Amino acid sequence: RHPAIDFTIYPLVYCGDLIVATLVGMQRVTALRAATCMALAIACAPLAAADEIRVAVATNFSSAMQALVARFEETSEHTVLVSTGSTGSHYAQIKNGAPFAAFFAADEERPRLLEEEGVAVAGSRFSYAVGRLALWSTRFEYVDDAGAVLNAGDFRHLAIANPNLAPYGAAAREVLSARGLWDALQPRIVQGQDIGQTYAFVATGNAELGFVAYSQLMSPGRDVEGSYWLVPESLHTPIAQEAVLLRDEPAARELVAFVKSPAGREIIRSFGYGP
């Protein structure tokens, strides 16, 4: 300490675990030192604001969520880690403490249960999409625009998701029942554990056709491969899909707000979802 210099301790600049303290004499503060402190403060601010958001997403919504995440990450400092799978499996994982911040389910039931059980953030549940069901085949002009191929019976296997576990499978069962075909087609039906496996049965040729999520066929700017029948919504119960916050964190709320925004809704509709 020089007796001729009046020392002053200036405010600390925090950068994660790093603390930069500037102890300088008032008579010796230079423009360079001031600029250095300002640069450190600016450089450290984004690091403190950025968060990693883990979300559980139903298989049918995987492509749409990837598009949403890409747009969201362009305009925020946050990183989103997406885990896709069946809604039933995610529900069990969340109940067992899986560290997800938000859950985008394929139905209304599981988000409602999580909220009622006190696992989700109260009042955060909302509808983010209404799914559409499609009868699809990789064969060109095989599936007609009225689904009459189901009555023709010239196929060995018809794939559907497990109707007791998957909303899209339950909808497929309703369609077949409405047409009086549920019992008659039982020997030909192959069930996927979820809509992802059901799609794979058809895509790999293990089933000539199958009921899949329309969103699995949609990719903005590309034509659907093969042939399909977009099932009228009047033939089954609406496939309402809900999401819920699992952690009341600013970053997770920002993601949810983006999904609800006009830009987010536009992306969701581009993948074939309603309304």
Side-chain angles (χ1 to χ4, degrees):
R1 177 183 178 96
H2 194 286
I5 300 177
D6 177 22
F7 282 85
T8 302
I9 298 178
Y10 283 83
L12 303 182
V13 178
Y14 291 85
C15 183
D17 294 332
L18 174 64
I19 301 177
V20 181
T22 307
L23 181 61
V24 297
M26 282 293 291
Q27 297 177 359
R28 299 184 180 278
V29 174
T30 65
L32 178 59
R33 289 173 179 169
T36 301
C37 289
M38 181 64 72
L40 282 169
I42 293 173
C44 292
L47 296 177
D51 282 309
E52 191 174 78
I53 312 166
R54 295 178 181 272
V55 296
V57 178
T59 302
N60 74 86
F61 198 63
S62 175
S63 296
M65 178 55 81
Q66 294 295 343
L68 286 165
V69 166
R71 183 76 62 84
F72 175 73
E73 290 183 341
E74 288 177 359
T75 57
S76 79
E77 297 294 338
H78 310 306
T79 300
V80 183
L81 300 181
V82 177
S83 173
T84 59
S86 72
T87 290
S89 295
H90 276 142
Y91 172 75
Q93 291 169 15
I94 292 166
K95 289 278 289 179
N96 287 320
F100 297 118
F103 178 32
F104 290 78
D107 62 11
E108 300 172 297
E109 180 184 5
R110 262 59 76 97
R112 176 181 56 78
L113 287 174
L114 290 172
E115 197 172 49
E116 291 176 353
E117 293 159 351
V119 179
V121 176
S124 66
R125 185 163 51 97
F126 70 99
S127 175
Y128 68 91
V130 176
R132 297 295 305 274
L133 185 69
L135 180 66
W136 173 59
S137 174
T138 56
R139 293 168 57 181
F140 183 64
E141 293 185 344
Y142 181 64
V143 177
D144 59 284
D145 59 7
V149 64
L150 292 169
N151 298 85
D154 62 341
F155 55 87
R156 294 180 58 197
H157 298 111
L158 169 67
I160 71 169
N162 186 330
N164 297 319
L165 300 175
Y168 285 86
R173 178 171 58 188
E174 289 182 30
V175 173
L176 293 174
S177 296
R179 291 207 161 184
L181 296 171
W182 177 249
D183 292 330
L185 292 179
Q186 282 302 304
R188 305 182 193 187
I189 290 177
V190 291
Q191 291 187 14
Q193 294 180 351
D194 58 24
I195 201 65
Q197 188 177 56
T198 304
Y199 176 89
F201 284 155
V202 182
T204 58
N206 287 302
E208 292 94 326
L209 71 169
F211 284 100
V212 300
Y214 183 45
S215 59
Q216 292 174 299
L217 309 180
M218 292 290 291
S219 181
R222 293 178 56 187
D223 294 330
V224 176
E225 296 182 8
S227 54
Y228 72 97
W229 169 45
L230 183 58
V231 178
E233 294 176 283
S234 60
L235 293 181
H236 61 80
T237 301
I239 307 173
Q241 302 188 200
E242 290 195 345
V244 68
L245 273 174
L246 302 172
R247 297 187 176 189
D248 196 359
E249 300 172 345
R253 286 197 175 275
E254 284 183 40
L255 175 63
V256 166
F258 174 71
V259 172
K260 293 179 178 180
S261 72
R265 301 301 304 167
E266 181 181 352
I267 291 173
I268 292 172
R269 284 193 293 270
S270 73
F271 281 87
Y273 290 99

